[in-house]
Amino acid sequence: MAAAGALPPNALQGPAIVLVEPQLGENIGAAARAMANFGLTDLRLVAPRDGWPSRKARAAASGASAIVDGARIFNSTEEAVADLNFVYAATARSRDLPKQVVGPREAVETLRERAAEGQAAGVLFGRERWGLTNEEVALADCIVTYPVNPAFASLNVAQAVLLLAYEWLAAGLDGALPTRDAFQEMDITPAPKAHLLGLMRHLEEALESTGYFRTEDMKPTMVQNLRALLQRAGFTRDEIDVLHGVVAALERQRGRRDDGASDG
Amino acid sequence: MAAAGALPPNALQGPAIVLVEPQLGENIGAAARAMANFGLTDLRLVAPRDGWPSRKARAAASGASAIVDGARIFNSTEEAVADLNFVYAATARSRDLPKQVVGPREAVETLRERAAEGQAAGVLFGRERWGLTNEEVALADCIVTYPVNPAFASLNVAQAVLLLAYEWLAAGLDGALPTRDAFQEMDITPAPKAHLLGLMRHLEEALESTGYFRTEDMKPTMVQNLRALLQRAGFTRDEIDVLHGVVAALERQRGRRDDGASDG
């Protein structure tokens, strides 16, 4: 292999590849192989349909079995992204979600910037047959969509992983990253998703008793809109702590008033 | 698919994909599928090992069977490139050949320039097991080599075709993504500051009676932190409307409880 293939000495931590309910072991293996080809290592599987471990996945990995063996299994997408600061959802489908949509090349630029700041990032890939649900896409910060021929747009999940991994490595070979200046000194690392989910749940519980969710029918959409909004804000851990305090204060007021306590 | 997804009206003739003695029908089919995904059509096979037509190739093409069915079969690589004006050989191996070596992104730039001049171009891909011979590489004008992880450099032939085809389409779109309109037209313009200030005031008033601002001394800093956080989130008008509703709901709960009303 020519020098062009050498990984940079200070290689950044690549994004986690999260396959949501993958159906075929062959595709998991092919995705692992693609990851190995381009220097990614963190494979996460949410409830693989045919169970785990998978003989077919190992066979299809074709030498990249270390990545298959090291894959972590999760019961839900929420758990799979809990420790990540920044998440893309790979989807071609139109969604009514206020999320930025970028191509894979732009996505890896952002992923590299985040990695350079020490953030943990990942990319969600959906089921072979029907991709990601709106709820899963809502867990992500942004959407990555591939440029494809609209007349034949169905991209196999392992191929989608391959293209992302390829762009990741290709971008890394292009030399030094543009550093952000003063802005960088303020820590605006988005909190790990577990913190954000904690805030979402806290707020939803607080709203439950207020009649905010007018009917049970409307609730799922309202919850989804709220979550999309909080997701999009990219709050840090500190900011989320502040917001927990705000919600708790607004909740507490009920107890105070019930006790007849007055408080200026 | 929205207009943004359509291939450019004056789409250039993409390069011919020449598979030299491909061994597995599955790989031929997967290469055809990758071509279809990214708008390439001219598939040429040099002496496929297991004969032709191939049921496995058609199955693996997964809907791109037109490309498989339209593939032209040649007895030699020389014949396969006979009508082409310009040829790349895809190879990772070091060769003692005086040929320019480029990555796939650079290669498609050249391919597009050539196509724009009306030249017919193609890319040679070697056998699964041992690639291209020196004689075959010598038939090409230049070499295209993929950036890969040197620790795991073996790229499947269909994946190599996929990456080339992807770069071809990506270069043609010049950054424009074929996403559907709904995505990109989602307005994430931050609201005018007056709206944001309205939300800040609403929240501050709601918090006032809860004891959130513990002392008058602490209040200015706490207000400033809250405002900084809301500012940074970059909320849209619609999002600010939602947040007004959230704060109002949490406020209302006091009134309800005072009235003894209970509400699910």
Side-chain angles (χ1 to χ4, degrees), chain A residues 5 33 36-38 93-94 102-105 145 147-150 152 154 156 162 166-167 208 210 232 234 239 253, chain B residues 5 33 36-38 104-105 147-150 152 154 156 162 166-167 169 173 177 182-183 210 232 234 239 250 253 264:
Chain A
R33 179 178 175 176
N37 280 143
F38 299 102
R93 211 128 11 106
S94 178
V102 300
R105 195 162 302 165
T145 287
V148 286
N149 173 10
F152 193 79
S154 84
N156 169 283
L162 175 82
Y166 161 76
E167 287 285 9
E208 187 71 60
T210 68
R232 206 178 70 71
E239 289 174 336
Q253 112 188 310
Chain B
R33 180 179 174 172
N37 282 143
F38 300 102
R105 197 161 303 168
V148 285
N149 173 10
F152 193 80
S154 86
N156 169 282
L162 175 80
Y166 161 76
E167 287 286 9
L169 183 62
L173 295 172
L177 269 177
F183 266 153
T210 68
R232 204 179 71 71
E239 288 173 337
L250 290 166
Q253 115 187 301

Side-chain angles (χ1 to χ4, degrees), chain B residues 196-262:
Chain B
L196 184 62
L197 280 164
L199 176 66
M200 290 167 172
R201 293 201 188 103
H202 184 182
L203 180 61
E204 287 152 25
E205 279 165 27
L207 287 169
E208 188 71 61
S209 65
T210 68
Y212 178 82
F213 303 119
R214 286 163 226 165
T215 66
E216 281 303 311
D217 277 0
M218 292 173 75
K219 187 176 165 186
T221 308
M222 294 179 81
V223 165
Q224 189 181 308
N225 288 344
L226 270 183
R227 289 188 168 210
L229 173 165
L230 293 172
Q231 176 77 52
R232 204 179 71 71
F235 291 122
T236 65
R237 266 183 202 235
D238 287 348
E239 288 173 337
I240 284 177
D241 287 346
V242 169
L243 290 169
H244 273 298
V246 166
V247 176
L250 290 166
E251 277 187 302
R252 258 204 315 278
Q253 115 187 301
R254 177 183 61 198
R256 279 165 193 259
R257 294 287 158 165
D258 286 353
D259 296 348
S262 82

Side-chain angles (χ1 to χ4, degrees), chain B residues 118-183:
Chain B
Q119 297 186 24
V123 185
L124 298 177
F125 294 88
R127 300 146 191 87
E128 286 90 333
R129 204 167 295 271
W130 47 279
L132 295 166
T133 66
N134 273 352
E135 291 67 32
E136 287 156 355
V137 174
L139 288 171
D141 298 280
C142 297
I143 287 172
V144 57
T145 287
Y146 292 70
V148 285
N149 173 10
F152 193 80
S154 86
L155 206 56
N156 169 282
V157 63
Q159 294 180 329
V161 171
L162 175 80
L163 293 177
L164 197 287
Y166 161 76
E167 287 286 9
W168 171 265
L169 183 62
L173 295 172
D174 257 341
L177 269 177
T179 48
R180 303 182 205 189
D181 293 350
F183 266 153

Side-chain angles (χ1 to χ4, degrees), chain A residues 102-148:
Chain A
V102 300
R105 195 162 302 165
E106 240 178 304
V108 300
E109 274 174 34
T110 300
L111 289 169
R112 289 197 160 266
E113 286 168 15
R114 301 268 173 175
E117 291 166 10
Q119 298 187 25
V123 186
L124 298 178
F125 294 88
R127 300 148 190 86
E128 286 89 333
R129 203 166 295 273
W130 47 278
L132 296 167
T133 64
N134 272 353
E135 290 68 31
E136 287 156 355
V137 174
L139 287 170
D141 297 280
C142 298
I143 287 171
V144 56
T145 287
Y146 293 70
V148 286

Side-chain angles (χ1 to χ4, degrees), chain B residues 43-174:
Chain B
L43 176 61
R44 304 175 180 203
L45 307 175
V46 179
R49 186 189 63 180
D50 296 336
W52 198 256
S54 159
R55 200 178 43 80
K56 285 181 179 174
R58 261 190 137 250
S62 180
S65 49
I67 290 178
V68 171
D69 294 343
R72 280 178 284 170
I73 311 298
F74 298 88
N75 291 317
S76 72
T77 307
E78 289 188 13
E79 291 169 62
V81 302
D83 64 319
L84 302 179
N85 303 100
F86 188 82
V87 175
Y88 275 107
T91 176
R93 219 142 347 125
S94 180
R95 317 261 181 182
D96 280 338
L97 295 169
K99 290 190 192 298
Q100 192 192 10
V101 180
V102 299
R105 197 161 303 168
E106 244 177 300
V108 300
E109 275 173 36
T110 301
L111 289 170
R112 287 195 162 268
E113 286 165 17
R114 301 270 173 173
E117 292 166 10
Q119 297 186 24
V123 185
L124 298 177
F125 294 88
R127 300 146 191 87
E128 286 90 333
R129 204 167 295 271
W130 47 279
L132 295 166
T133 66
N134 273 352
E135 291 67 32
E136 287 156 355
V137 174
L139 288 171
D141 298 280
C142 297
I143 287 172
V144 57
T145 287
Y146 292 70
V148 285
N149 173 10
F152 193 80
S154 86
L155 206 56
N156 169 282
V157 63
Q159 294 180 329
V161 171
L162 175 80
L163 293 177
L164 197 287
Y166 161 76
E167 287 286 9
W168 171 265
L169 183 62
L173 295 172
D174 257 341

